[in-house]
């Protein structure tokens, strides 16, 4: 039976994405799970970052970031970028990843080796308490084209993506719908 418990905001799956921020000359990566879609027209995402993060100041200064979607094979990068700070670490170099521009953003780094990246321009910043919420417009998606797909959707590699829940990483698998009863 359910009972009333204190507020708890970690009880459901969240993504674990790598946010590219800073400049091409001094790029940084931060792992974030407090991230999600908040509007479809215009396409907008929300990203919550603590003020104490080095990345917070980079995002605020440049008003832009890239979102890089990792796969299970990228778990080492997810953990590293979520554990060490760009104040003292060159995370791109340490992980052997390549920082390339994320058009139309000219000076915002994205990860060349990842399948899917979003170019985001910050439109609003909301000071919430422990975290600041950046609301950003998705200006472009960088992905592998699905040939002849009418809507120009990128290949998602969905069954290779990961989710974060209860302090652990989980792999995704499709749950088939039962059509006939
Ligand atoms: C799975 C995971 C999710 C995280 N999500 C967030 C988040 O949504 N917001 C945040 O501010 N920090 C988050 N962190 C913590 C930062 O990634 C971590 O403090 C990082 O080292 C900050 O790097 P920076 O100092 O280079 O910005 C997360 C860490 C992990 C491992």
């Amino acid at each position: 039976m359910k009972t009333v418990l204190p507020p708890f905001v970690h009880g459901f799956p969240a993504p674990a994405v790598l946010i590219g921020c800073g400049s091409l000359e001094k790029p940084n990566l931060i792992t974030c799970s407090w991230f999600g879609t908040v509007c479809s027209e215009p396409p907008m995402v929300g990203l919550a970052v603590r003020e104490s993060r080095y990345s917070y100041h980079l995002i605020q200064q440049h008003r832009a970031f890239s979102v890089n979607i990792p796969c299970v094979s990228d778990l080492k990068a997810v953990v590293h970028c979520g554990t060490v700070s760009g104040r003292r670490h060159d995370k791109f170099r340490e992980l052997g990843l390549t920082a390339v521009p994320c058009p139309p953003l000219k000076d915002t780094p994205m990860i060349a080796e990842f399948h899917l990246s979003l170019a985001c321009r910050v439109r609003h910043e909301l000071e919430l308490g422990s975290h600041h919420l950046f609301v950003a417009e998705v200006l472009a998606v960088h992905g592998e084209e699905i040939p002849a797909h009418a809507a120009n959707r990128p290949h998602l590699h969905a069954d290779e993506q990961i989710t974060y829940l209860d302090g652990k990483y989980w792999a995704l698998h499709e749950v088939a719908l039962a059509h006939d009863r």
Side-chain angles (χ1 to χ4, degrees), residues 5 53 91 129 157 159 175 178:
L5 298 166
R53 314 291 187 224
K91 302 187 207 180
H157 295 269
D159 58 354
V175 181

Side-chain angles (χ1 to χ4, degrees), residues 28-34 48-50 53-55 81-87 91 131 164 169:
N28 191 41
L29 292 166
I30 174 175
T31 300
C32 284
S33 58
W34 290 17
V49 184
R50 272 186 193 270
R53 314 291 187 224
Y54 174 59
S55 301
C81 295
T83 313
V84 303
S85 176
R87 286 189 184 95
K91 302 187 207 180
H131 289 65
Y164 187 62
Y169 302 94

Side-chain angles (χ1 to χ4, degrees), residues 67-85:
V67 180
N68 303 272
I69 313 296
C71 291
V72 172
S73 55
D74 303 312
L75 208 50
K76 190 179 140 206
V78 174
V79 173
H80 190 65
C81 295
T83 313
V84 303
S85 176

